[in-house]
Amino acid sequence: TWTIRGLTTGASEATPWSAAAARIDASMDLETAILDLAEKHGRYRPAAYHFTLQAVHVTVDRARQGGGGPRHVSGGEVLEGIRALARARFGPMAKTVFEQWGVGRTEDFGEIVFQLVEAGILGKTEEDQLSDFARGFDFEQAFVREYDWLDGFAAPPDGTS
């Protein structure tokens, strides 16, 4: 189960300027942290870390909307969030995009999540394991073979042709 941790900033006053500056500082801190991770581990492109973090955010938001308030999400839920976000954002090119980022299997996303945990960007519980991401789904199957190629040719919602 995963939690998202906020990065702290040095802003101490709650003025509109300092609030805006705090958001900029936090985003710069996050960007720096991601660049540092990519450089330190040398395996994945920074975009892979950004995408994974966005997918975790989407997954947590969906879990909240599902009722029961804020809660942790499992590795399997994160993988489903990754699959859904990748399909929406990249369509049948998702597998190719991931390959360009150095990501070839769901276990790579697990590595990225654990690196984000190590950097203090995400949190985890004692039950969370890297193996939670093992053999989650096949990229070829999920993004190419199962892609609905005819969906783009569906009739407009208003019924006109």
Side-chain angles (χ1 to χ4, degrees), residues 12-48:
S12 59
E13 298 180 25
T15 64
W17 174 254
S18 66
R23 283 192 299 276
I24 291 168
D25 284 348
S27 69
M28 288 173 58
D29 287 348
L30 178 61
E31 183 63 27
T32 300
I34 287 174
L35 291 172
D36 289 348
L37 279 173
E39 185 176 327
K40 175 183 176 184
H41 295 282
R43 188 165 171 198
Y44 308 111
R45 305 272 309 258

Side-chain angles (χ1 to χ4, degrees), residues 32-139:
T32 300
I34 287 174
L35 291 172
D36 289 348
L37 279 173
E39 185 176 327
K40 175 183 176 184
H41 295 282
R43 188 165 171 198
Y44 308 111
R45 305 272 309 258
Y49 292 93
H50 282 289
F51 178 83
T52 303
L53 195 54
Q54 290 167 358
V56 170
H57 280 279
V58 167
T59 303
V60 169
D61 287 346
R62 285 186 182 161
R64 282 187 191 142
Q65 292 171 359
R71 68 173 181 85
H72 297 289
V73 293
S74 69
E77 288 173 305
V78 170
L79 287 176
E80 285 306 312
I82 287 168
R83 183 191 330 223
L85 186 60
R87 283 181 174 170
R89 188 168 291 167
F90 307 121
M93 293 300 298
K95 180 177 181 265
T96 302
V97 170
F98 290 163
E99 288 170 351
Q100 292 299 309
W101 293 347
V103 176
R105 56 198 178 102
T106 57
E107 289 87 341
D108 290 324
F109 282 115
E111 292 283 346
I112 291 169
V113 166
F114 273 79
Q115 290 171 17
L116 290 166
V117 168
E118 177 187 306
I121 298 169
L122 293 177
K124 73 176 198 75
T125 66
E126 291 298 318
E127 293 81 35
D128 295 320
Q129 303 291 321
L130 188 57
S131 62
D132 296 342
F133 294 87
R135 296 175 299 283
F137 56 87
D138 176 73
F139 289 0

